[in-house]
Amino acid sequence: MAANSLPCQRDKVLTLESMNPCVKRVEYAVRGPIVTRAVQLEKELQQGVKKPFSEVIRVNVGDAQAMGQKPITFFRQVSALCMYPDLLKDPNFPEDAKEKARRLLAACGGDSIGAYSASPGIDLIRQDVARFIERRDGGIPCNPENIFLSTGATSAIVTILKLLVSGEGRSRTGVLIPIPQYPLYSAALAELNAVQVNYYLDEEKSWALDVGELRRALRQAQEHCRPKVLCIINPGNPTGQVQSRKCIEDVIHFAWEEHLFLMADEVYQNNVYAEDSQFHSFKKVLFEMGPKYSDNVELASFHSISKGFVGECGFRGGYMELVNMDPAVQQQLIKLISVSMYPPVTGQVMLDVVVNQPQPGDPSYQLFSQEKQAILSTLAKKAHLTEQTFNNTPGMHCNPVQGAMYAFPRMQLPPRAVQEAKAQGQAPDMFFCLRLLEETGICVVPGSGFGQKEGTFHFRMTILPPMEKLEVVLQKVSQFHAKFTQEYSQPQNHDEAIRTSEKAGQ
């Protein structure tokens, strides 16, 4: 090469044009552009940049411990003992925590959680999960062979969708998902090139699920795809509703009638606050409806240690239970999960303690019971406060937060704000949420990231912050909405009208 010649740089093999087009269609609003901007604002504050707020408050995700919730002592004690077995000699740890740790370590290769586990998870823990489900469901049998441990509920949901999705053109698999939905579903379906079939929850009836709407969505989808899967989130995310037993029976009958595979996302089953609401598992209702249904309806249900009163998001522990899956397909599932080895053993250990909690008479029971009750009772108060505050805010409405850990209030936006948002190429609720972030430091997620009826505007926020901080957040959001509404209800001056017109024409 001549001394003065420049190196020749070839074109990239991987470009936006050559990459997998399905990945480009993936969107995940919960950690989308608004969160990216929140991170930038946090860095600017650390660098001393002056803002109209002193901190960024992220109420965009249901991350309990990031919001200040303290871990359950017993869960962490057992986890610590398994991580560092020398602590088994420490007299400061209760004996029941030590017993559980010894039992779990004995189930691991070499008595160490640093060893590989079986791909479906450690057998002992799968057995404990099965016993937990039997207790929860009033004695209905659960076979540990149908339990698969997972990296949170997310990996299990995506894995089942991988098995279900097939076909091309009009034979492509259609998956019915609720709108509003948790964006994991739309993102996974985009990546897998499946057809997303929206069915709308009824906001006027506290986000109720109506089988008539399911039937409408199914019939319409049959014109361009093959609907094969029905996804349910109960309690709801982002909507916080808890389905009645009658509703679950109707859904199961619909799935049986239309020959659909049921996916029940039940990760918020411990988060029920409304006095007239109760969690019913799809598995329990299915079996109580009799053999016509329990011998035929295919069901995958999911649970996680990230939610409930546990809040151990970082451990990434969860499970799925399969009902009526074709044994040959179940073998294919085992092959598929074997490719990714197994879920982290630390998460499996934490899951075991969550499904195998201290019982009355155990040394740790009293403290455990106090901590659990304190978390759940405080969440119930936060749910009520959130609903009450938004319903007392002119131009906002919030359905009862019956369960889960989010509010999804509807807000009125002035026509001029909608016009300005469109001129800037943004969804109107994204425009509102970005302004809220820039002026108050509060990070929420626009409803357009979850899906909503045309012409309505929402945002999702978690109710997890400590009560004193939640009160501040609710007050600031309420005040900002009033300010925003007033600002965009004023007549436009001439210069502003020209700017809006120019942006719209770009």
Side-chain angles (χ1 to χ4, degrees):
M1 183 185 291
N4 61 349
S5 65
L6 296 173
C8 179
Q9 187 170 6
R10 298 190 300 178
D11 292 339
K12 300 286 188 187
V13 173
L14 182 61
T15 66
L16 280 175
E17 289 69 35
S18 68
M19 72 176 285
N20 184 341
C22 296
V23 174
K24 285 196 283 188
R25 291 200 296 269
V26 171
E27 294 184 5
Y28 189 63
V30 174
R31 297 181 185 271
I34 200 159
V35 180
T36 302
R37 179 57 185 149
V39 172
Q40 292 172 343
L41 287 171
E42 286 173 332
K43 291 178 179 176
E44 290 173 16
L45 284 171
Q46 291 168 1
Q47 293 164 0
V49 179
K50 295 298 181 185
K51 301 288 178 185
F53 47 86
S54 59
E55 66 172 330
V56 173
I57 304 177
R58 295 205 218 177
V59 286
N60 59 299
V61 292
D63 189 348
Q65 294 186 24
M67 293 282 103
Q69 180 177 307
K70 299 298 181 189
I72 298 290
T73 302
F74 183 78
F75 295 167
R76 285 299 183 89
Q77 285 174 331
V78 177
S79 179
L81 289 163
C82 288
M83 285 287 288
Y84 190 58
D86 282 1
L87 291 173
L88 289 165
K89 304 169 188 172
D90 190 330
N92 293 311
F93 282 79
E95 193 54 39
D96 53 342
K98 291 180 179 180
E99 286 176 9
K100 275 194 168 51
R102 291 188 190 100
R103 180 173 176 268
L104 286 164
L105 288 169
C108 298
D111 291 348
S112 172
I113 63 170
Y116 285 131
S117 88
S119 295
I122 296 169
D123 282 342
L124 175 74
I125 299 176
R126 295 169 72 198
Q127 293 166 17
D128 286 347
V129 169
R131 281 191 286 269
F132 161 80
I133 292 172
E134 288 180 354
R135 290 193 303 271
R136 182 198 68 187
D137 293 344
I140 293 169
C142 177
N143 184 348
E145 293 300 311
N146 294 330
I147 301 296
F148 293 81
L149 308 189
S150 56
T151 309
T154 299
S155 67
I157 290 168
V158 173
T159 299
I160 291 298
L161 286 172
K162 285 179 181 178
L163 289 175
L164 285 159
V165 171
S166 64
E168 298 289 339
R170 289 191 62 175
S171 69
R172 278 170 69 202
T173 297
V175 181
L176 284 84
I177 66 170
I179 298 295
Q181 54 110 14
Y182 177 50
L184 160 66
Y185 292 93
S186 56
L189 295 179
E191 183 180 356
L192 296 171
N193 201 29
V195 178
Q196 176 178 320
V197 179
N198 297 337
Y199 67 88
Y200 288 85
L201 303 176
D202 190 343
E203 185 171 13
E204 303 309 315
K205 295 181 180 177
S206 295
W207 301 113
L209 189 162
D210 177 63
V211 170
E213 169 60 11
L214 284 179
R215 190 162 282 110
R216 177 209 64 78
L218 181 83
R219 296 289 176 258
Q220 189 172 324
Q222 284 171 332
E223 297 174 5
H224 61 271
C225 71
R226 184 191 167 196
K228 196 159 67 176
V229 190
L230 172 57
C231 295
I232 307 289
I233 308 174
N234 180 50
N237 175 12
T239 43
Q241 86 284 3
V242 178
Q243 290 179 2
S244 68
R245 182 190 172 88
K246 175 66 167 60
C247 175
I248 295 172
E249 289 177 353
D250 291 345
V251 168
I252 290 172
H253 176 76
F254 176 79
W256 173 84
E257 184 180 47
E258 299 294 345
H259 204 210
L260 298 172
F261 189 105
L262 259 177
M263 293 177 63
D265 182 340
E266 299 175 331
V267 302
Y268 296 100
Q269 60 189 256
N270 289 118
N271 298 103
V272 177
Y273 315 120
E275 291 183 2
D276 58 346
S277 296
Q278 181 182 350
F279 171 75
H280 302 277
S281 79
F282 267 77
K283 161 85 176 291
K284 183 174 190 287
V285 176
L286 174 65
F287 275 75
E288 289 178 347
M289 288 175 69
K292 172 181 174 180
Y293 300 98
S294 61
D295 289 349
N296 292 291
V297 174
E298 295 155 83
L299 169 70
S301 60
F302 309 90
H303 196 17
S304 165
I305 62 173
S306 298
K307 309 304 177 184
F309 63 94
V310 182
E312 292 286 9
C313 303
F315 275 83
R316 308 307 301 133
Y319 72 79
M320 62 178 166
E321 181 188 11
L322 304 177
V323 176
N324 291 325
M325 179 171 273
D326 184 318
V329 175
Q330 197 150 319
Q331 286 302 310
Q332 294 294 315
L333 169 64
I334 293 171
K335 177 184 72 175
L336 184 60
I337 61 176
S338 297
V339 174
S340 55
M341 297 296 286
Y342 56 90
V345 177
T346 47
Q348 294 186 51
V349 164
M350 183 62 77
L351 172 66
D352 188 86
V353 194
V354 170
V355 301
N356 199 6
Q357 300 166 9
Q359 299 301 307
D362 291 347
S364 299
Y365 177 75
Q366 185 174 356
L367 177 60
F368 166 78
S369 182
Q370 289 172 352
E371 291 177 337
K372 174 182 176 179
Q373 188 54 42
I375 291 170
L376 291 174
S377 61
T378 301
L379 282 170
K381 291 174 185 174
K382 292 174 181 178
H384 180 69
L385 174 67
T386 303
E387 173 199 344
Q388 189 177 46
T389 301
F390 286 141
N391 283 333
N392 287 335
T393 301
M396 295 186 74
H397 172 74
C398 184
N399 277 321
V401 183
Q402 297 172 327
M405 48 184 63
Y406 312 98
F408 196 66
R410 184 176 71 230
M411 54 185 173
Q412 295 175 5
L413 297 180
R416 194 155 66 84
V418 175
Q419 181 185 3
E420 174 69 16
K422 291 179 178 176
Q424 295 188 23
Q426 293 178 357
D429 47 12
M430 172 64 86
F431 179 68
F432 174 89
C433 292
L434 279 170
R435 281 281 307 272
L436 174 70
L437 175 62
E438 296 287 351
E439 296 184 28
T440 69
I442 296 171
C443 179
V444 299
V445 189
S448 50
F450 299 88
Q452 55 196 348
K453 281 195 172 179
E454 186 72 27
T456 66
F457 308 111
H458 302 77
F459 62 84
R460 188 192 81 162
M461 62 164 282
T462 181
I463 63 171
L464 287 172
M467 186 65 81
E468 61 276 10
K469 185 165 282 191
L470 180 63
E471 289 171 346
V472 171
V473 168
L474 295 172
Q475 183 181 33
K476 283 189 173 184
V477 171
S478 179
Q479 291 171 346
F480 176 80
H481 181 265
K483 173 179 172 293
F484 183 89
T485 300
Q486 183 178 23
E487 176 186 342
Y488 283 97
S489 297
Q490 301 292 334
Q492 272 184 306
N493 62 42
H494 179 68
D495 291 341
E496 188 178 0
I498 291 174
R499 285 196 300 272
T500 300
S501 177
E502 287 175 345
K503 286 176 184 173
Q506 287 176 348

